[in-house]
Amino acid sequence: MKRNKTIKIVLFVLLSLGWIFITTFRLGPFGSLGQLTTYKTGLLSVPLQSDGTQKIHSGQKLDIYVDNVGIPHIYSATKNAAAYGLGYMHAKDRYFQMEMISRIVQGRLSEFLWSGTLKSDKFWKPYEFEKKSEEILQTYKKENPEFYAYLQSYSDGVNAYLEKNENTDPLYKALGTAPRKWKTEYSLLFTWYMSYTLTYFDHHIDQQEIFEKLPGQEITYFYPLQPEGINTILPSNSIPSSVNVSHLGVHSSETASLETAQKEPSLFDLGAKLMTNHKFYQGIGSNNWVVNNTKTKSKKNILANDPHLYLTLPEAFYEAHIVTGAFKTYGFTIPGVPVVVSGHNDKISWGITNGEWDLVDRYKLRVKNDSLYLYEGKWIPFQVKNYTIKVKGKPDYIEKYRSTVQGKVIKEENGQYYAQHWYVAEKSNSVKAMYEVMKSQNWNGFSTALKDYSYPPQNFAYSDVENNIGIVCAGELPARSTDYIGQVLDGTKKYIPAKPLDAFWSAFNPDKGFLFSANQQPIQNNVYFGAHGSKDDYRAKRIYSVLEKKKDWSVPEIQKMQSDVIDISLNDFKTLVNNYPVKEKYNGIVKELKNWDGNMSGDGNQALVFEMLRKVSIKQAKQFAKTRLQVKQEPSLQNFLKYLNDKNYAIPGGDNKQKIVDAIFEKTLDTLTQSYGDQWKKVTYKNMSKFNINNILFIPGLGEKIDNIGGNINTININTEKFHPVFRAVYEVKDGNIQAHTILAGGQSGLINSIHYKDQIEFWRKGQYKKSQFVKNPAKLEKIINTIKFN
């Protein structure tokens, strides 16, 4: 009896201690479980949003009707009142996301979350974007009072919501903090955030190694700057030529990698996740295309758009509808910014894809004493500036920032110093340009507005009710020297800042009846846009071939095309099988692929086998680069397969291509067996194509598992480990107006206690579109669940 009593006491003590630990332990930036579950101050105190009709006294005249998927339909007499309403709704549904992004760009995330985001602040703070946004706003106040008033009204709407609803987001409660007041200039910060996501490519050390170690013929073959046979966005006016590298003046044996690990992030390495270094071929991108009346059943234009970004809950975009007396627009906004980036008004529609231009320069430095660098024959000291970064719950951190005349100083692990110049760090007018796009009524107004667009470079597809189509490759490309091809520059020579290139790239009403962009090279000419020859263009070729072949498109067929999962790289592998004898033990793989059409649907075994074959081939391309070319950067899969299938070309010294092909099939079979056992032929692709959509803070349980999605990096419906379509939209001209068909990947709301947090995910997964309600009279709106009236 005494022993049993002792055991019970020990268990009670252990359970008590365990409970105390669980309820007091802090998970990263969050409060303890005890704090989070307190009724008066914890998550249980967060009020649920109510539907119905609300009346708000604000001094504004507008009505907002929210439909059953959370889309606000904003009706007002003026554009400024509409901006106020959009700000109110952005704050209502996404303010935590807005504050997160604005703080990231300011380098003020650690004071809001915790020390785990210090790496992000150390990167952003020295760019002084907080100060630059204030300066740009003051310029608008003087020179563009209309746009300034529009931004100000948006800010007023954001703060109007916050003043009475600061306790509506559970994430603020979990962090033990409250929303900060929104400032008008914060809307301008988002340009730099998106520019980092879409333009921060720094691959120049790898490029330099290629130019130094390989002869021109091999560079042209494996890493072409002007690839042959590509479908450019615009008609090209020059023929690709061989690369001449004799002029390169920087010689370096250092080949330190700039690529950071692509591990699945968690809450504890959020700072690292925010600092992912991107390369041209990682999968960031988008699709858009437009067909005119000569290629549609209705004899009216159709425009399609599906951007590809890192997908979280909430995701990057927010759907909205605005109607004023003379200003009507519908489409996708970015919470924090009062403009529609992809959508339509009553006369025109537009869609975006990433330009993927090289906007970073690297300069090799000669340094002594860790403090002086050689510049024009003189040793001069680094420019040093200290930045104070506030950290929640800890002392301030002082970031010692060193720079040269070219830009910030970077010391690689091998001890080599470089300076980096990121052109995007300069001031941008992109938000104002998009404001002018929303007001445009024709091609002239649209293209004129985009002449002022800066960063991030985007390809804007265009359509209007007069059956015109067009595309603009908009943004500021540096006017570099004519011999610049992505190499590392000499930091000892005189630095001449590069101004934007005085050029405007566009196409209007082409004879072929369609235009498209899929992040490929804009045009074949003598301008350096970036390392497009280091990436595959299978997706672009697939889009082009499908659009060219068909002549009677309908909206459902365009929608089906956005969900297309055919990987045409299969054709290069089939050629490989025809060109080389394959050992009998690999017949199981060959047989699976020979009569297959490349359909990467999740229910097929062939797709699983092929994806394994494709990934193994990429690893072999890396091995080939390392051992035969003796460079770090592998050629694109496309160029690697071209080499294996080319009977007339071999690198100096010869190469046993049969041995490479055998290794590809051997390692594919080994990997299949190791992953799925001897029964791999019965395993379907859905075992590989599944992925997780994480919560914005990577909190377990607040994301969503996606199974059986199909597709891969080469398909129109792109599916990689990180990047996916964040929305799909099809804009059709119908009865003299424009009708949108849309899907959002997730939901309108960022509130984890909202019914709209992820209510559209299943529609997105299945490719089921909703029809927009673009009507002048609010009485014609359907499925309205909430009405907000301002007076």
Side-chain angles (χ1 to χ4, degrees), residues 306-455:
D306 56 318
H308 310 148
L309 293 171
Y310 186 83
L311 189 54
T312 61
L313 291 174
E315 59 125 290
F317 293 96
Y318 181 92
E319 209 164 344
H321 175 207
I322 293 173
V323 178
T324 71
F327 181 70
K328 306 173 187 66
T329 188
Y330 187 101
F332 294 90
T333 64
I334 296 175
V337 191
V339 294
V340 172
V341 295
S342 173
H344 67 91
N345 57 31
D346 53 347
K347 297 294 184 182
I348 72 170
S349 60
W350 62 94
I352 56 172
T353 67
N354 187 28
E356 206 160 307
W357 298 355
D358 185 352
L359 299 178
V360 173
D361 286 342
R362 272 263 177 162
Y363 295 82
K364 186 181 179 183
L365 303 176
R366 289 183 60 186
V367 175
K368 69 178 181 180
N369 300 330
D370 199 38
S371 60
L372 303 174
Y373 70 104
L374 185 65
Y375 180 69
E376 290 196 285
K378 298 179 181 179
W379 291 100
I380 60 176
F382 289 138
Q383 301 162 28
V384 179
K385 189 171 182 179
N386 291 331
Y387 291 90
T388 300
I389 299 174
K390 294 186 179 300
V391 182
K392 186 177 181 180
K394 291 190 175 183
D396 293 349
Y397 179 88
I398 305 301
E399 170 67 4
K400 183 180 179 181
Y401 180 79
R402 300 185 297 178
S403 62
T404 68
V405 294
Q406 300 97 346
K408 75 175 181 179
V409 173
I410 297 174
K411 183 180 180 181
E412 296 292 347
E413 292 181 0
N414 60 6
Q416 177 61 53
Y417 285 85
Y418 296 91
Q420 183 196 73
H421 184 84
W422 185 32
Y423 291 92
V424 169
E426 298 158 13
K427 295 178 182 179
S428 169
N429 288 311
S430 295
V431 177
K432 180 181 178 296
M434 291 307 305
Y435 172 71
E436 298 298 333
V437 164
M438 289 197 304
K439 298 192 300 177
S440 301
Q441 297 289 290
N442 51 44
W443 170 255
N444 183 58
F446 176 80
S447 56
T448 299
L450 289 176
K451 289 179 180 178
D452 290 331
Y453 184 90
S454 309
Y455 308 113

Side-chain angles (χ1 to χ4, degrees), residues 61 64 111 124 194 315 320 481 659 743:
K61 288 285 187 181
I64 301 177
E111 68 181 73
W124 288 99
M194 296 303 295
E315 59 125 290
S481 62
K659 187 176 180 181
I743 315 174

Side-chain angles (χ1 to χ4, degrees), residues 84-97:
Y84 182 97
L86 183 60
Y88 187 92
M89 291 304 299
H90 275 173
K92 179 176 181 292
D93 288 326
R94 300 282 192 92
Y95 191 74
F96 185 85
Q97 179 184 29

Side-chain angles (χ1 to χ4, degrees), residues 288-305 349 461-464 466-470 509-510 512-516 543-544 546-555 557-559 561 730-733:
N288 65 16
W289 61 84
V290 57
V291 293
N292 70 9
N293 59 330
T294 66
K295 292 182 70 68
T296 62
K297 289 180 180 178
S298 65
K299 302 305 176 185
K300 298 292 182 181
N301 298 351
I302 304 175
L303 187 151
N305 190 199
S349 60
Y462 168 91
S463 171
D464 64 32
E466 301 298 329
N467 287 324
N468 297 305
I469 66 171
N509 284 341
K512 59 188 177 184
F514 68 91
L515 289 162
F516 84 102
I543 294 173
Y544 182 89
V546 173
L547 290 174
E548 183 183 44
K549 184 177 180 180
K550 190 171 177 59
K551 300 186 182 299
D552 57 347
W553 286 100
S554 66
V555 168
E557 289 167 328
I558 291 286
Q559 293 172 347
M561 181 177 169
V730 176
Y731 308 115
E732 69 167 323
V733 178

